[in-house]
Amino acid sequence: MSDEAVMKPIDLDQCQRMFRKGSFMSLGKPYECQCKEPPAYIAFERHPRDGGTQGAMSICEECAKYYRESGMVESSGPLYPVKQRDKEAK
Ligand SMILES: [Zn+2]
């Protein structure tokens, strides 16, 4: 079973988009690091994955822009704005 089958809970404190860092220029293996911005949207996967899990993740304004521009809303799923009161209720 792969790690991808285990879905993380939605994090309303931090954008959950993962970036791939590093390249052939850095002479290192690429690694993933998480965006640190406060989330503005929740992205839901339209289709369940192979294991039957259906993902959702928090995503910030910047990443949401990228998400829309790269066509992921069509290919993956819609974005729902995080309600302001959800962020304050902690
Ligand atoms: Zn982000």
Side-chain angles (χ1 to χ4, degrees), residues 14-17 19 34-39 58-64:
Q14 186 179 351
C15 174
Q16 290 178 286
R17 180 172 167 232
F19 291 96
Q34 188 175 346
C35 180
K36 297 279 193 288
E37 298 300 312
S58 58
I59 191 168
C60 72
E61 201 71 58
E62 258 325 283
C63 294

Side-chain angles (χ1 to χ4, degrees), residues 2-43:
S2 75
D3 288 345
E4 284 180 357
V6 180
M7 297 308 298
K8 288 189 224 161
I10 297 170
D11 187 348
L12 288 175
D13 294 329
Q14 186 179 351
C15 174
Q16 290 178 286
R17 180 172 167 232
M18 301 301 288
F19 291 96
R20 195 171 287 276
K21 293 264 183 124
S23 70
F24 68 95
M25 293 292 286
S26 70
L27 299 177
K29 282 178 75 174
Y31 61 95
E32 302 229 305
C33 87
Q34 188 175 346
C35 180
K36 297 279 193 288
E37 298 300 312
Y41 299 94
I42 305 295

